Amino acid sequence: MNGDATILHADLDSFFASVEQRDDPSLRGRPVLVGGGVVVAASYEAKAYGVRTPMGIVEAKSLCPGAIVASPRFEAYSAASKAVFELFRDTTPLVDPISIDEAFLEVGGLARLVGSPESIGARLRARVRDEVGLPITVGIARTKFLAKIASAHAKPDGLLVVPVDGEQAFLHPLPVERMWGVGAKTGAKLRARGIERIGELAAVPPHALSAYVGRAAAYHLHALANGQDPRPVETGRRRRSVGAQRALGRRPKSMSDIDAALAGLVDRVARRMRKAEREGRTVTLRLRFDDFTRATRSHTLPRPTARTERLLLVARSLLDVAAPMIAERGCTLVGVAVSGFDADTGVQLELPFGEPDTATLDLALDDVRERYGSSAVLRGSLVRRGEGLAMPTLPD
Ligand SMILES: [Mg+2]
């Protein structure tokens, strides 16, 4: 555990929109929306009009009529992300990726060699700007939680250090919605009890708080609001999910064929989890279609489990949801993964706040891929196979 402010949270600003502005100079300084039906990224010029992600393009355009809509270019974003992560890893070997455009970096061991965390953060920002052409914000603090709040606070294109003796002065005046896991709903509940600032939250004993947010969340929020967050920066090598997949070949197959394959995979995954004495909450179904596009669907259970029938029930309901896509595009691979294990479950730490570009963005991205993928491939695959749009149903 380190006692100094040595954790960097580095987060690209309006990532996709910034890539569009970088690659097309005519977009610079102008409101840019990236997306199809849904806005997956908006430039700060567009956010100034109240545009948020994800939001329907129509609604966004009504808020900001002058906005320019760019179609997503995922290859460009993934290349930019790769380049930025190379700079992260060139800064320190201890990089803990959170999403395509943000990571925690531990720079504590580097102090004597390359300077203070603040100077390391400033140099990283300059390099990302010079070598990749993108703005990035860096928050620096003693804990991950504070570093992430610091970067949200310093956006866009900023750097903010929360010194160890200034943590409460920084954190406590902020609105409760800045807390990880406190969305609009929980925020409203807390506000109804007169808890508007993080400092007020910090002062409520967890047993009192648990009446509004549930017991586990209460203890977690109380700890975070009081600056306690023991999670170290991890390089992601620790296994965070258990999964299995099976290629199904290109022959035509029925939903019950796919269901049978899925049941076998769930059984295998559940057995491995039980052997490792791990229980998980999130079940993710992965599918690959005849045209090589992919889709994932997940569901998170209220409690972790390693029971085959519980996991299978969730996996089947996800398959059910995906049935129309399979009917349109065929299915060549099915996979299932379970994540959200006890030790790293915490309380909704995966929820984004402020800049909605972690979990929400990933979801929105899946949706957009879906949209573009399906409209592009629907006709071709139907013509090729001479099939109608009849939808197979799952056996009950
Ligand atoms: Mg970002």
Side-chain angles (χ1 to χ4, degrees):
M1 182 87 336
N2 74 75
D4 296 323
T6 57
I7 296 177
L8 272 56
H9 178 252
D11 188 2
L12 290 157
D13 302 320
S14 297
F15 176 40
F16 298 170
S18 296
V19 172
E20 297 305 327
Q21 289 179 320
R22 176 194 71 182
D23 294 348
D24 180 353
S26 77
L27 299 179
R28 290 179 199 163
R30 301 177 66 186
V32 175
L33 309 176
V34 178
V38 175
V39 179
V40 290
S43 70
Y44 276 86
E45 294 84 356
K47 286 179 182 168
Y49 288 84
V51 174
R52 295 290 175 261
T53 52
M55 176 185 269
I57 284 276
V58 175
E59 186 185 355
K61 286 281 277 184
S62 73
L63 289 169
C64 181
I68 301 149
V69 180
S71 292
R73 294 180 300 132
F74 296 110
E75 296 75 18
Y77 311 146
S78 113
S81 171
K82 240 178 108 185
V84 170
F85 271 83
E86 270 168 31
L87 295 181
F88 289 168
R89 296 201 173 89
D90 198 35
T91 301
T92 169
L94 286 175
V95 176
D96 188 349
I98 304 174
S99 74
I100 185 171
D101 76 326
E102 62 180 309
F104 290 109
L105 285 73
E106 171 60 71
V107 300
L110 310 172
R112 251 183 311 163
L113 289 175
V114 287
S116 69
E118 183 169 4
S119 67
I120 294 169
R123 188 159 56 241
L124 175 63
R125 275 172 33 73
R127 287 190 70 188
V128 172
R129 169 69 77 182
D130 294 345
E131 297 174 35
V132 192
L134 295 174
I136 191 165
T137 296
V138 173
I140 305 175
R142 179 180 54 89
T143 66
K144 284 182 166 179
F145 170 66
L146 285 165
K148 175 136 181 156
I149 297 217
S151 73
H153 202 71
K155 276 182 170 295
D157 206 10
L159 173 82
L160 180 64
V161 183
V162 179
V164 174
D165 60 5
E167 289 179 357
Q168 300 216 335
F170 166 69
L171 190 59
H172 285 183
L174 297 175
V176 284
E177 287 82 3
R178 289 286 186 94
M179 294 289 294
W180 260 332
V182 176
K185 223 168 127 188
T186 307
K189 274 194 214 165
L190 293 172
R191 282 174 184 275
R193 269 99 184 166
I195 304 166
E196 300 188 350
R197 310 267 154 203
I198 295 178
E200 288 157 352
L201 186 66
V204 181
H207 60 84
L209 201 56
S210 66
Y212 325 140
V213 298
R215 197 181 134 80
Y219 280 86
H220 205 78
L221 289 179
H222 182 79
L224 289 179
N226 284 284
Q228 296 156 19
D229 175 16
R231 294 167 305 149
V233 171
E234 291 168 329
T235 46
R237 279 189 209 101
R238 194 163 61 100
R239 184 174 284 279
R240 287 194 166 164
S241 70
V242 174
Q245 59 182 36
R246 198 173 135 195
L248 300 173
R250 302 192 68 85
R251 65 188 162 76
K253 56 206 74 80
S254 67
M255 282 304 280
S256 61
D257 294 336
I258 300 170
D259 180 69
L262 182 67
L265 292 170
V266 169
D267 185 47
R268 205 194 313 166
V269 166
R271 273 188 286 127
R272 276 168 55 199
M273 289 174 61
R274 290 192 295 267
K275 204 171 161 198
E277 296 184 342
R278 305 208 74 172
E279 298 191 314
R281 293 173 58 208
T282 301
V283 179
T284 302
L285 173 74
R286 295 178 199 289
L287 296 168
R288 192 180 67 202
F289 303 108
D290 285 356
D291 56 4
F292 298 103
T293 58
R294 291 167 181 270
T296 63
R297 288 288 176 272
S298 330
H299 179 76
T300 298
L301 292 161
R303 267 178 296 283
T305 183
R307 286 172 52 193
T308 302
E309 66 274 25
R310 289 274 292 149
L311 297 170
L312 183 56
L313 193 68
V314 177
R316 281 195 161 134
S317 67
L318 294 169
L319 184 63
D320 206 7
V321 169
M325 281 190 290
I326 294 171
E328 283 177 13
R329 305 195 232 167
C331 179
T332 58
L333 178 141
V334 60
V336 68
V338 179
S339 58
F341 296 135
D342 276 345
D344 48 43
T345 302
V347 179
Q348 293 185 304
L349 282 180
E350 68 276 14
L351 284 186
F353 60 91
E355 275 279 285
D357 42 10
T358 55
T360 311
L361 179 60
D362 289 343
L363 286 177
L365 186 56
D366 279 347
D367 282 348
V368 170
R369 277 189 210 278
E370 213 87 87
R371 249 164 254 262
Y372 285 92
S374 74
S375 61
V377 301
L378 174 61
R379 229 167 284 122
S381 58
L382 289 176
V383 168
R384 190 169 64 242
R385 293 197 314 236
E387 284 176 12
L389 268 170
M391 269 177 209
T393 48
L394 272 181
D396 285 324

